[in-house]
Amino acid sequence: PLGGGTVLVTGGTGGLGSVVARHLVVRHGVRSLLLVSRRGLGAPGAVELRDELGVLGAEVAVVACDVADREALAGVLAGVELSAVIHTAGVLDDGVVSSLSAERVSGVLRPKVDAAWHLHELTRGMGLSAFVLFSSISGVMGSAGQGNYAAANVFLDALAVRRRAEGLPAQSLAWGAWAPTGGMTASLSEADRQRIAASGVPPLSVEQGLALLDAAMATDAPHLVPLG
């Protein structure tokens, strides 16, 4: 379902993004990747990831770009023949609702909501085969201290439904936590991990997560909650 062109992965040098990028090459045979993140090749392990995927036969461009900056994103996409988008970018800034300032809400919504909307607008005429948004179960079940993050992910879920209603490809996957991959979950404290385990939705292993990703992408549903 990813087509034969370039696949864009946002947050592509992060822990989860790099896992997904590697999976696209090894499992899905993707041969052209555009990995976008705030630090680009300056991110830890980014050069090694690019080189590893190159050895596996993929052409990989790693670009530093704030995907929430529409003009910057448009510049990155100019002239690129995209066939699919996978939006994994996101940040956490947990706190009870009474402690969330406008800045703290905006800081979490920006890489999820603003970026997804810009991707929607800038790629809608490209004839994409897939437009996959990495959402969160926090927007479905709620999660203590994550009011800003839950809101951001509910937007992604709604955007996927809207795109499908317009005849555009879209799928929002409301993930639970993945086992630490060097991304957002890498900074979780032991108390955070205990809270997640107590929720009844234990973290997915990388193998479980990738298997669920493949299963989800094989369906036509615009909104799924992949749980182990």
Side-chain angles (χ1 to χ4, degrees):
L2 298 176
T6 296
V7 177
L8 166 66
V9 181
T10 70
T13 61
L16 188 53
S18 61
V19 165
V20 170
R22 190 175 292 109
H23 184 65
L24 295 178
V25 172
V26 174
R27 175 69 176 81
H28 292 272
V30 172
R31 288 297 171 259
S32 179
L33 278 175
L34 173 57
L35 307 182
V36 175
S37 66
R38 285 171 293 178
R39 288 182 286 178
L41 285 174
V47 173
E48 292 81 0
L49 175 65
R50 179 198 62 186
D51 293 347
E52 175 192 349
L53 298 181
V55 169
L56 292 171
E59 293 186 9
V60 183
V62 180
V63 179
C65 175
D66 176 2
V67 287
D69 182 330
R70 192 183 195 281
E71 184 176 350
L73 180 60
V76 170
L77 298 182
V80 179
E81 294 186 9
L82 284 186
S83 62
V85 168
I86 300 184
H87 180 39
T88 77
V91 297
L92 293 173
D93 186 7
D94 293 358
V96 296
V97 170
S98 59
S99 74
L100 295 178
S101 63
E103 289 75 19
R104 292 184 68 184
V105 172
S106 177
V108 171
L109 263 61
R110 195 177 146 78
K112 285 273 189 180
V113 172
D114 294 14
W117 186 253
H118 297 330
L119 288 165
H120 162 64
E121 290 189 321
L122 293 170
T123 67
R124 63 183 307 152
M126 292 186 178
L128 298 181
S129 298
F131 188 94
V132 182
L133 303 166
F134 271 40
S135 177
S136 167
I137 196 172
S138 66
V140 178
M141 294 177 58
S143 182
Q146 292 192 324
N148 50 2
Y149 192 63
N153 287 292
V154 167
F155 179 89
L156 298 189
D157 300 340
L159 176 59
V161 173
R162 170 172 172 165
R163 280 180 57 92
R164 289 295 291 273
E166 295 179 8
L168 297 170
Q171 191 168 57
S172 187
L173 306 180
W175 297 103
W178 289 45
T181 56
M184 290 184 290
T185 54
S187 61
L188 294 178
S189 66
E190 182 56 33
D192 292 326
R193 299 184 198 284
Q194 291 179 1
R195 173 173 54 81
I196 292 171
S199 72
V201 186
L204 296 167
S205 69
V206 169
E207 292 75 18
Q208 287 174 318
L210 293 176
L212 286 169
L213 174 62
D214 289 345
M217 289 173 59
T219 76
D220 291 329
H223 181 215
L224 291 169
V225 184
L227 299 177

